[in-house]
Amino acid sequence: MSKFIKKIKIKKPDDWHVHLRDDDILKKVIKYTGKFYKRAIIMPNLDDPITNCLKSIAYRDKILKSMHVNYKFQPLMTCYLTNFTKPKELEFGFSKKIFIAAKYYPNFCTTNSKTGIKKISNITSVLECMENIGMPLLIHGEEINQNIDIYDREAKFIETTLDPLRKKFPKLKIVLEHITTKESVEYIKKNDFNYLAATITPHHLMLNRNDMFSGGIQPYLYCLPILKKNIHQKALREAISNGDKHFFLGSDTAPHLHKNKINVLGCAGIFNAPSSLLSYVKVFEEMNALKHLQSFCSENGPKFYNMPINKETITIVKKPYKIMKNIKVGRDTIVPFLSGETLNWSLENKY
Ligand code: DOR
Ligand code: ZN
């Protein structure tokens, strides 16, 4: 059925998980998010993380100044939780909409997480406050312990941290970000949507761990949580195809300069902003589930965050869309996901 569909009109999507970075990189990457998405949750893991209201206001201003004037884009800011975050800072920031949510990075779990949380019990008063005020907690869900196999860290995190957390704070709104496993899909589904939801990236839907080693090691496919076995990829694809409202769009677009991706200690992250939306369309089409595209891209997220669904619409048409090879940033480049490849869906208008 869906292979005969040539045009799809949906409410303008939002991206509930993006990294825009700062300065030169921000200026180069921001327009891709603005082109496809009305709002985006902005991750706070800058080199100098966004840990308070003042930093957040300044960063938000920079984002808005860097955005193309034609895009009416709304950045939704988040606070990076540390062992020293003050509940009052969050309460104030949330009440004034300076912060929409707070991000929990386990210590040393990914890019710029050296000031992340060592033990979740260090932030009990912060979590109590968030539960009381209804502020969402966004989680990078991996148990960080060198003795745990990297492929098992997400499932382990559910057992050792997330499930006890849910029991201790049943009314805390939680988004388990960029889920990658069937264990996560199963766990999320059986919990109340008002309090637990998950984002899923295009790369975890399109790829599995074999792709990372296909024809040689592929540093551009290195991201965290790491790509998993095909059975997990299949579980993610099925989760979105059933239209379950627990799952929504969060691309985890994460630009890094080429030199940092191919370094001996290469950075984790996939810059997918130029192709993320059209990649999701491709997956929904392959799964014969285009009827659920709008709920995943444009409805489930706002429902979870208690925000209005966008009024504007976008039209996606069956027309080849070539992804650029790279983007110049100073003397370096950023190479996007699907660099140089062609997808068979495009936006009808340039917007
Ligand atoms: O691959 C990733 N890149 N995963 C993350 O959790 C962080 C992100 C980044 O900031 O580069
Ligand atoms: Zn991320």
Side-chain angles (χ1 to χ4, degrees):
M1 167 66 180
S2 65
K3 62 175 175 291
F4 302 114
I5 297 175
K6 297 265 182 288
K7 206 178 213 196
I8 312 161
K9 189 171 169 187
I10 58 167
K11 299 273 184 196
K12 189 155 190 185
D14 304 299
D15 189 340
W16 299 95
H17 187 130
V18 307
H19 299 265
L20 296 178
R21 314 301 189 206
D22 206 351
D23 301 326
D24 292 350
I25 297 186
L26 168 66
K27 287 190 191 116
K28 291 290 176 136
V29 302
I30 178 87
K31 68 175 177 200
Y32 300 100
T33 296
K35 175 172 170 177
F36 293 98
Y37 302 101
K38 168 83 188 206
R39 298 170 287 203
I41 285 271
I42 315 296
M43 287 296 133
N45 62 332
L46 301 187
D47 295 343
D48 177 17
I50 304 300
T51 48
N52 62 41
C53 293
L54 281 180
K55 285 184 179 177
S56 180
I57 293 168
Y59 185 34
R60 186 171 182 276
D61 283 350
K62 267 192 182 174
I63 293 170
L64 288 171
K65 280 198 187 103
S66 311
M67 182 54 91
H68 193 288
V69 285
N70 287 353
Y71 300 136
K72 291 181 191 66
F73 174 74
Q74 285 173 22
L76 307 172
M77 310 308 289
T78 57
C79 182
Y80 182 115
L81 296 178
T82 71
N83 296 314
F84 308 102
T85 305
K86 302 230 169 13
K88 284 248 164 303
E89 186 79 17
L90 289 183
E91 206 173 337
F92 178 78
F94 188 62
S95 71
K96 301 281 179 219
K97 297 197 164 56
I98 298 167
F99 293 129
I100 297 303
K103 178 74 189 253
Y104 166 61
Y105 286 104
N107 194 240
F108 283 111
C109 67
T110 188
T111 309
N112 292 334
S113 59
K114 64 175 187 288
T115 49
I117 307 300
K118 289 203 171 123
K119 274 200 323 229
I120 193 133
S121 56
N122 293 350
I123 54 164
T124 301
S125 60
V126 160
L127 298 174
E128 264 162 18
C129 163
M130 292 178 67
E131 183 182 43
N132 288 336
I133 63 178
M135 182 176 193
L137 176 72
L138 315 183
I139 298 185
H140 182 112
E142 288 194 282
E143 190 67 38
I144 299 310
N145 176 337
Q146 283 310 315
N147 297 323
I148 299 170
D149 191 280
I150 188 166
Y151 293 101
D152 299 334
R153 286 178 189 171
E154 185 175 295
K156 195 80 188 162
F157 182 88
I158 295 179
E159 207 182 295
T160 57
T161 309
L162 183 58
D163 195 52
L165 182 70
R166 291 268 310 119
K167 295 205 166 101
K168 194 160 180 200
F169 301 103
K171 301 264 143 127
L172 177 61
K173 286 176 83 66
I174 297 175
V175 182
L176 188 59
E177 299 286 351
H178 41 55
I179 59 166
T180 61
T181 61
K182 72 177 176 22
E183 287 83 356
S184 292
V185 169
E186 281 155 19
Y187 185 77
I188 299 285
K189 269 187 173 164
K190 66 178 192 216
N191 277 267
D192 181 345
F193 163 77
N194 293 304
Y195 300 109
L196 187 64
T199 52
I200 304 184
T201 77
H203 41 280
H204 289 103
L205 289 167
M206 288 170 75
L207 305 171
N208 61 61
R209 69 188 190 186
N210 276 350
D211 296 295
M212 231 177 0
F213 306 104
S214 155
I217 193 152
Q218 303 264 356
Y220 270 97
L221 299 184
Y222 174 52
C223 61
L224 289 168
I226 200 146
L227 294 170
K228 303 292 192 302
K229 245 179 155 166
N230 58 0
I231 51 161
H232 297 290
Q233 180 193 5
K234 192 160 169 273
L236 299 176
R237 290 169 72 95
E238 279 162 7
I240 63 162
S241 305
N242 296 331
D244 188 318
K245 65 179 178 178
H246 286 90
F247 305 104
F248 47 82
L249 191 159
S251 70
D252 200 13
T253 179
H256 289 280
L257 293 176
H258 178 68
K259 67 170 185 213
N260 297 327
K261 283 298 287 176
I262 58 155
N263 199 7
V264 273
L265 286 176
C267 295
I270 296 182
F271 170 55
N272 61 26
S275 65
S276 55
L277 183 66
L278 305 169
S279 299
Y280 287 116
V281 178
K282 174 178 157 64
V283 175
F284 276 88
E285 182 186 33
E286 286 165 359
M287 297 303 288
N288 208 3
L290 283 170
K291 64 172 187 280
H292 296 304
L293 182 73
Q294 173 165 285
S295 56
F296 179 80
C297 297
S298 321
E299 293 173 356
N300 300 346
K303 279 185 192 153
F304 179 84
Y305 280 93
N306 296 320
M307 285 182 193
I309 290 168
N310 295 323
K311 290 207 170 60
E312 304 91 312
T313 56
I314 56 164
T315 304
I316 303 158
V317 289
K318 198 131 223 195
K319 199 174 85 188
Y321 173 76
K322 188 161 186 318
I323 294 137
M324 70 290 288
K325 282 227 161 77
N326 59 43
I327 293 166
K328 293 216 168 352
V329 181
R331 291 183 176 189
D332 207 335
T333 60
I334 293 175
V335 178
F337 181 50
L338 306 176
S339 159
E341 291 184 35
T342 302
L343 286 169
N344 55 11
W345 291 96
S346 328
L347 286 187
E348 184 176 57
N349 299 319
K350 283 235 161 93
Y351 297 92

